[in-house]
Amino acid sequence: MSLDYVKFSNGFERFMPKEYRDMVEHGPFGKKVSVSQMGSFKEILEEHPMCAGCAMTLFIRLAMVSFPNPEDTITVGTAGCGRLAISQAAIPFVYGNYGDQNGVASGLSRGLRLRFGDKPKDVVVMAGDGGTADIGFQQVLHSWFRKERFTTIMLDNEVYGNTGGQESGMTNRGAVLKMAPLGKKFEKMDMLQMAKVAGCAYVATVVPNNPRRVESVIKKAVLIAREVGSTYIQAYTSCNIEYAIPTDKVMEDAKTVENDRYAFSEYVSEEAKQYLTERYGYKEYLPKPAAPAGAIPKA
């Protein structure tokens, strides 16, 4: 919950496990690290029980490296594959009952603001497509309409992966799964459009095979959520088990899906653009200079 929280108390350093000492001395707390530096510092998520080749695990690792202040970040999750990894990270994790993760995050975010005032304490929800678009849909949508100031990340593997392969609202129409043998009869839910309609200040889609892009959207989403309002990231994180994707083809699948139906998209509200520019120096949102008088506009 803060840099002081992870530091050793005087006299206790020699009694702490080596893993903990390594995290304090070589981890990302209090430092600015990047996904391009992975392998040169100790990550807050290293060991996990996820399946070999799981794209979701890679995305979660990238997301956690990208948190602006990991020592001041709390993650919230619910039932599903993702929480098996998220709960192993060296930052606080709150487990909500299935579907109420955005309700929990709303109360947590408000409480942290009362307790710590202007000092940023970031709350990030990471939950699967079932927890976000199906069972947790009501609380997700209401948190967005209320402009609760935290980030929601959907780990979209387009299936209920850890309960045998049932279809979710995010499964594509016609997809045949172990527990949906006749094929899904309805379209994939358009959560991106719903997020915009509900007033999210930042909405983006990503796949995990572009780490720098993942880093960019995570940082923007968390920073905007501190003061402007709700932010939403939808990440394609395939289930290589339920969709029978060979382990060595997982990244190839991500690239194919990105080209086919999961292209990068980013929506930033005008208020959020102004906030990022003025508070954090984002130059990409500066007003474009006016064309010189007499210039011929491009066709």
Side-chain angles (χ1 to χ4, degrees):
M1 276 306 302
S2 74
L3 190 56
D4 290 335
Y5 175 83
V6 301
K7 288 180 178 176
F8 308 116
S9 297
N10 290 334
F12 279 85
E13 179 177 353
R14 61 194 178 95
F15 297 109
M16 301 304 292
K18 184 177 185 305
E19 281 290 301
Y20 193 91
R21 294 201 305 272
D22 284 346
M23 179 57 67
V24 174
E25 295 167 356
H26 306 295
F29 301 130
K31 306 169 187 171
K32 297 298 181 185
V33 297
S34 166
V35 294
S36 62
Q37 297 172 283
M38 290 174 75
S40 65
F41 62 92
K42 188 173 178 64
E43 295 177 40
I44 56 178
L45 173 62
E46 291 188 322
E47 297 183 4
H48 56 79
M50 305 286 270
C51 302
C54 176
M56 185 182 294
T57 309
L58 172 60
F59 177 82
I60 293 171
R61 284 179 58 202
L62 294 172
M64 289 186 167
V65 170
S66 306
F67 289 161
N69 296 87
E71 65 275 12
D72 291 304
T73 303
I74 297 177
T75 57
V76 182
T78 188
C81 295
R83 51 95 185 184
L84 297 173
I86 300 165
S87 60
Q88 304 298 310
I91 57 175
F93 169 73
V94 178
Y95 180 81
N97 288 324
Y98 208 176
D100 71 359
Q101 68 277 357
N102 277 55
V104 171
S106 297
L108 179 61
S109 177
R110 293 186 184 195
L112 290 171
R113 292 176 202 285
L114 289 174
R115 171 63 179 83
F116 295 99
D118 295 334
K119 187 174 183 179
K121 297 292 179 182
D122 300 318
V123 176
V124 178
V125 171
M126 279 198 273
D129 44 309
T132 305
D134 292 348
I135 301 170
F137 179 70
Q138 177 186 2
Q139 295 198 24
V140 169
L141 210 59
H142 275 270
S143 71
W144 290 347
F145 274 118
R146 292 195 304 267
K147 297 184 172 21
E148 299 288 351
R149 289 182 286 171
F150 61 85
T151 297
T152 301
I153 301 174
M154 178 197 286
L155 306 168
D156 183 15
N157 63 3
E158 303 180 325
V159 65
Y160 284 85
N162 68 346
T163 53
Q166 296 84 3
E167 68 179 44
S168 78
M170 299 301 287
T171 302
N172 289 291
R173 183 174 184 172
V176 176
L177 299 161
K178 292 175 185 172
M179 300 295 281
L182 299 180
K184 188 183 178 189
K185 301 184 184 306
F186 308 99
E187 299 292 341
K188 182 184 179 88
M189 293 173 66
D190 189 352
M191 289 294 288
L192 299 168
Q193 190 60 31
M194 280 189 268
K196 295 174 188 175
V197 170
C200 284
Y202 182 83
V203 181
T205 54
V206 285
V207 298
N209 59 339
N210 190 332
R212 295 301 296 269
R213 181 173 287 161
V214 172
E215 180 177 37
S216 174
V217 301
I218 295 288
K219 284 188 184 300
K220 288 178 186 175
V222 173
L223 293 176
I224 291 169
R226 285 180 179 176
E227 294 193 30
V228 180
S230 304
T231 58
Y232 174 59
I233 296 171
Q234 188 171 302
Y236 174 70
T237 56
S238 65
C239 179
N240 53 317
I241 302 300
E242 295 301 331
Y243 281 93
I245 305 168
T247 301
D248 62 342
K249 301 293 184 184
V250 168
M251 287 297 99
E252 184 177 321
D253 166 77
K255 183 61 179 174
T256 300
V257 171
E258 181 183 33
N259 292 337
D260 178 47
R261 56 187 170 78
Y262 231 98
F264 170 66
S265 65
E266 186 180 55
Y267 162 77
V268 191
S269 72
E270 292 303 316
E271 182 183 6
K273 290 179 181 176
Q274 182 178 356
Y275 170 75
L276 287 178
T277 302
E278 295 178 355
R279 180 63 64 87
Y280 296 103
Y282 277 72
K283 297 180 180 179
E284 64 192 276
Y285 301 124
L286 287 172
K288 304 297 182 188
I296 301 175
K298 293 182 180 180

